Amino acid sequence: MTKRDGDMLDWLSVVRVADVDAIRWALGAFAGAGGPVTVRRANMWITRLADVGLVSRARPNFRDGSVVWATHQAIGKSTPNLYRQTARHEVAVAAVSARYLAYGYTWGRDRVAPNPVEHQADGVATREGEVVLVEVELTPKTLHRYPKIFRSHASRMEREGVAQVVYFGTPDVARAVAREADKNLFHALRPRLVTMPVLDVRGSWNGPDYGLWNNTPAAATGTFVDEDATLGGDVWEFEGSMEGSRA
């Protein structure tokens, strides 16, 4: 077990279940790479921890590939139910979370709403004191719910110092959220609610990482090999931006 293994298991304890793409990004993030490791390296990590009983994997009917979770042995939590309707949502949250990690944010669950008026976001990303509320939606909510949710977002932007609220979803969801935000958010706050149409209906990342993360290095071409990031005698291979500091 390495520190990076521990960091990965702690992250899986929060997001609960992730696809291989999210594992790639999270591994790269905890290596300080600013980009994802290759699919081969991600699968090697999964296999190594599965062999010692710390992660499990399966291929649910809503995905073409496998999803991964930390076992009870690793984190003391039960196996996630992949047959629930929320399973797709959890996988999508992990995909978003892993990218925030790669761009230098920390990730955590939002606080439980203290009263029925307030809304609990799907996650909170924090970097250098900047707090971002993150929402992940694969299908639009009923329209009467948005005014209440946006009032909660507005209150937290004004009173709690939340810098931004970002909705990740399908193109249909992004259009619905943007339309309702135009109706329900005060014009001074409206630019701080951002929609990202980068997911498909199965919860897979299906778009570019455009225009969201500021002050990040430009993506590098080719494959980077970090000689310090070893795994069982092998070296890690990374894709994407490699100018960040090493973990």
Side-chain angles (χ1 to χ4, degrees):
M1 283 285 292
T2 66
K3 180 181 182 302
R4 193 167 300 132
D5 294 335
D7 290 339
M8 286 292 295
L9 293 173
D10 287 344
W11 173 71
L12 284 171
S13 179
V14 174
V15 299
R16 298 297 290 124
V17 60
D19 63 11
V20 175
D21 181 62
I23 296 292
R24 293 175 59 217
W25 280 87
L27 283 169
F30 291 124
V37 304
T38 61
V39 173
R40 181 170 70 94
R41 294 299 172 183
N43 281 320
M44 287 176 62
W45 182 85
I46 294 167
T47 299
R48 181 169 65 86
L49 268 70
D51 286 345
V52 294
L54 297 180
V55 302
S56 289
R57 54 188 164 186
R59 179 172 292 186
N61 56 13
F62 63 87
R63 299 304 296 258
D64 292 333
S66 296
V67 296
V68 179
W69 62 92
T71 63
H72 185 273
Q73 175 184 337
I75 62 171
K77 294 182 179 180
S78 60
T79 299
N81 184 352
L82 300 182
Y83 297 99
R84 291 188 308 171
Q85 290 185 337
T86 56
R88 289 184 305 149
H89 178 264
E90 290 175 332
V91 173
V93 170
V96 172
S97 168
R99 284 166 170 80
Y100 270 104
L101 293 178
Y103 285 101
Y105 288 81
T106 59
W107 179 268
R109 292 188 180 277
D110 193 14
R111 87 286 187 274
V112 176
N115 56 65
V117 176
E118 295 196 28
H119 175 73
Q120 182 177 359
D122 290 316
V124 179
T126 306
R127 184 180 68 181
E128 297 177 353
E130 177 187 80
V131 177
V132 178
L133 298 183
V134 179
E135 300 277 16
V136 178
E137 292 190 7
L138 303 180
T139 56
K141 288 183 169 63
T142 54
L143 296 184
H144 76 274
R145 295 182 61 191
Y146 282 114
K148 173 184 172 183
I149 292 170
F150 290 148
R151 282 195 295 272
S152 178
H153 290 329
S155 175
R156 296 182 70 180
M157 284 190 278
E158 292 179 318
R159 299 178 184 179
E160 298 181 20
V162 170
Q164 198 175 47
V165 179
V166 184
Y167 275 79
F168 293 83
T170 66
D172 286 345
V173 167
R175 284 191 292 270
V177 170
R179 182 181 63 246
E180 295 306 308
D182 289 342
K183 296 177 184 177
N184 292 286
L185 275 179
F186 183 59
H187 64 87
L189 297 177
R190 176 63 183 87
R192 291 161 61 184
L193 187 145
V194 180
T195 55
M196 295 285 287
V198 293
L199 300 173
D200 66 20
V201 294
R202 299 175 302 173
S204 297
W205 190 274
N206 193 33
D209 298 305
Y210 59 85
L212 179 61
W213 294 279
N214 297 322
N215 303 318
T216 56
T221 58
T223 299
F224 174 85
V225 178
D226 182 352
E227 298 295 346
D228 294 332
T230 59
L231 170 60
D234 295 319
V235 294
W236 291 82
E237 297 171 0
F238 297 95
E239 296 176 353
S241 172
M242 295 303 142
E243 297 182 21
S245 61
R246 294 177 180 174

